Amino acid sequence: MNANTSRQHPAAWDQDAQLLSQTARDLPTGRHQFHKERLMAQIHEQVQREEHTATATAPQKARRFRLPRPAITLPAMAAALSAVVIAGVVTVGGDGSGVRDSGVATGPALTTDVGTASAKGVPQLIDQISLAAAEGDHPTVKPGQYIYIESVLADTFVKTVDDKSSLASHELHRRQMWESPDGVKGWLIDPAVNDSPEGETLSLPDEQGNTPKAHLGGPSYDYLTKLTTDPDKLLAKIYKETKGQGNTPDQQAFATIGDLLAESYPPAELYPALFEAAAKIPGVVVVDDAVDAAGRHGVAVARLDETSGQREEWIFDKKTHVYLGARNVQVKQLTEEGVLIKAGTVNFTMAIKNRAVVDGMKQTPSQAG
């Protein structure tokens, strides 16, 4: 979701701010996060093009509804984004106008014990996780099949009503996603994003006729099969292709791998290589006890973003070392838009409930028998 913004001109920022302002006024339920992510994707793809050509072209749209991540405000983006979204901000006017809340119920801010983090034992834990990943059942996806990922998630956000802001949360809800191996066909059911309970298509091309090319920030299964499985080369590629994104290169590399673990289907050969690459990122620690969105306790591989004060945690079963989910915990107290975000606030939490290969769009593993 984070994007390199250093190369854009002031005029481009004005256009971005206007887009966000228009989004804040006109979006239906739950779409503010999607349009923010689409803007980020536009910036990412524009930067990628500028690195290969001196001729500017119109940015393409985002290729999918990516799994929501808490916003980490970049200095150049702060002015444009702060009025619209901060870790999932919802702004509501007193007359009911403006960005409406998503299609899931809200409650108080999510909190947890921060837990103990230590650099000791990281290599051993990564080795155990990599071994479990290599030995796990991981069928190859064939043409005509779909990757099915079912998760539950929730987030804490700054909610503003009549110019008064406070912390709130979207309650835990179910998310289902289907995607073809080439990334061209897909479907999403997520009440925090969809206008309809039936969900909506992710199939390409989009309404403008664009079929965006898969990349690290929006990969398809076929794209992942072409990535190197050498951990050193893989990490070098991640650093190169995410240069300028995020708050620091190391944190962005860690976040990029985390996204691939959460809502994609890395091929069997790539899966352990991702963990081995993560172990080489400076600042990676082990959190002795972390809880996923489904309430399952596990051990976490984590890294603290010193800029935002958030610790991103990948949670694994303590015995089997199978990936359970992820969460972002505020470790250092932070004030955003005048609202105090205390240590222990859970900015985002997610648990993978099912990840499988099915034969049809909107088919679940139970239906496949």
Side-chain angles (χ1 to χ4, degrees):
M1 235 172 71
N2 301 320
N4 184 338
T5 59
S6 61
R7 295 180 177 85
Q8 283 201 314
H9 299 292
W13 284 119
D14 290 341
Q15 292 173 357
D16 293 343
Q18 291 171 9
L19 172 60
L20 285 165
S21 177
Q22 183 68 25
T23 296
R25 289 194 300 271
D26 299 337
L27 283 183
T29 302
R31 299 301 293 276
H32 61 284
Q33 180 69 17
F34 163 61
H35 281 274
K36 181 195 169 196
E37 291 185 332
R38 178 162 64 181
L39 173 62
M40 292 297 192
Q42 289 174 344
I43 295 171
H44 169 80
E45 292 181 3
Q46 180 174 326
V47 169
Q48 293 289 64
R49 282 191 298 274
E50 290 175 351
E51 289 176 348
H52 292 88
T53 177
T55 303
T57 58
Q60 295 176 332
K61 291 192 175 183
R63 58 186 305 273
R64 64 157 80 239
F65 295 83
R66 298 299 298 165
L67 187 70
R69 293 177 59 82
I72 301 174
T73 305
L74 305 178
M77 283 296 287
L81 291 180
S82 61
V84 184
V85 276
I86 304 168
V89 167
V90 176
T91 306
V92 182
D95 59 355
S97 62
V99 176
R100 291 177 292 174
D101 210 341
S102 72
V104 293
T106 58
L110 305 172
T111 60
T112 188
D113 293 329
V114 171
T116 302
S118 173
K120 186 177 180 180
V122 171
Q124 293 86 349
L125 177 59
I126 293 290
D127 285 345
Q128 292 172 323
I129 292 170
S130 298
L131 182 61
E135 293 179 344
D137 182 26
H138 210 89
T140 300
V141 188
K142 301 176 183 178
Q145 293 185 312
Y146 292 86
I147 298 157
Y148 171 75
I149 300 176
E150 178 184 347
S151 58
V152 290
L153 61 153
D155 67 305
T156 293
F157 60 94
V158 176
K159 184 172 184 177
T160 300
V161 180
D162 295 330
D163 297 325
K164 295 181 180 179
S165 299
S166 62
L167 279 185
S169 69
H170 289 126
E171 291 186 352
L172 193 70
H173 62 278
R174 184 189 192 196
R175 176 180 169 100
Q176 295 171 281
M177 191 189 79
W178 291 261
E179 185 181 53
S180 59
D182 60 7
V184 174
K185 296 180 180 179
W187 194 266
L188 176 71
I189 300 176
D190 184 342
V193 174
N194 302 145
D195 297 329
S196 166
E198 286 77 27
E200 54 193 292
T201 183
L202 300 178
S203 297
L204 301 171
D206 60 25
E207 60 268 28
Q208 291 187 344
N210 299 318
T211 303
K213 186 178 179 180
H215 55 84
L216 276 173
S220 65
Y221 176 81
D222 289 348
Y223 171 86
L224 295 176
T225 63
K226 296 178 176 64
L227 289 181
T228 177
T229 57
D230 179 288
D232 291 306
K233 293 180 180 179
L234 179 60
L235 186 59
K237 179 180 178 63
I238 291 171
Y239 275 113
K240 180 180 179 180
E241 295 198 10
T242 62
K243 184 178 180 180
Q245 299 178 26
N247 289 328
T248 66
D250 292 334
Q251 188 62 35
Q252 184 59 34
F254 189 81
T256 297
I257 295 175
D259 285 346
L260 295 178
L261 298 176
E263 198 169 66
S264 69
Y265 188 76
E269 298 79 10
L270 179 64
Y271 204 41
L274 289 170
F275 296 117
E276 293 167 15
K280 300 175 182 294
I281 300 174
V284 174
V285 297
V286 173
V287 178
D288 58 351
D289 184 52
V291 186
D292 72 5
R296 300 174 297 193
H297 285 256
V299 60
V301 175
R303 192 179 192 283
L304 176 64
D305 184 338
E306 295 287 352
T307 303
S308 67
Q310 295 183 45
R311 187 173 66 203
E312 179 172 343
E313 302 175 351
W314 310 337
I315 306 171
F316 301 85
D317 185 276
K318 291 183 178 180
K319 293 182 179 180
T320 66
H321 298 104
V322 170
Y323 179 83
L324 299 178
R327 69 178 183 178
N328 280 55
V329 177
Q330 196 71 35
V331 173
K332 297 182 178 181
Q333 186 170 289
L334 179 73
T335 299
E336 286 280 11
E337 294 296 289
V339 177
L340 179 65
I341 304 176
K342 298 180 179 180
T345 300
V346 179
N347 296 300
F348 174 77
T349 180
M350 180 274 297
I352 295 293
K353 301 293 289 183
N354 205 334
R355 196 190 314 247
V357 178
V358 296
D359 293 326
M361 182 89 81
K362 293 188 274 188
Q363 181 187 70
T364 63
S366 60
Q367 292 170 334

